Amino acid sequence: MLTPTPLEELLDLAADVIGCDRRVLPAGAAGSPFITLGGGLGQAVRLQARAEQQLGLAVDLAQLLGPAPLADVLARARPAPVRAAGGGDRAGAVRALLPGQSAALA
């Protein structure tokens, strides 16, 4: 059995998040944006979080929601920044929303 490539793993995650067949998504992803394939803002955020948590890859949210084909966006994924051990982020800290984020979440 061959080891899946990072792109194949990301496409599997995308299929799971969107709720479509993992065998069908790669063909559509080659020429269609994430939104056209059935993804929305919530699914994009989940895909971004799962890619980082499960695969250690950072996917650009703006590109994911943009017009580029999904396969191209996922192929541009890079290793996620390493978080400092011991809570480099303040435990329980929440940063303020950026302009437009509150409207997008509403």
Side-chain angles (χ1 to χ4, degrees):
M1 180 183 252
L2 296 174
T3 303
T5 66
L7 178 57
E8 290 169 334
E9 290 180 314
L10 285 166
L11 285 169
D12 281 348
L13 281 180
D16 188 48
V17 166
I18 294 171
C20 70
D21 189 331
R22 293 172 187 223
R23 296 167 297 185
V24 175
L25 184 66
S32 299
F34 182 73
I35 298 290
T36 304
L37 295 168
L41 176 60
Q43 290 93 349
V45 171
R46 280 195 296 279
L47 176 57
Q48 183 185 45
R50 288 183 62 186
E52 184 173 340
Q53 292 169 356
Q54 295 176 13
L55 305 175
L57 295 172
V59 177
D60 185 277
L61 188 61
Q63 290 181 9
L64 194 55
L65 293 170
L70 177 59
D72 292 352
V73 173
L74 297 180
R76 291 187 211 116
R78 298 291 172 243
V82 178
R83 296 180 188 241
D89 297 329
R90 295 185 320 254
V94 177
R95 71 168 175 80
L97 293 175
L98 297 173
Q101 286 180 325
S102 59
L105 294 173

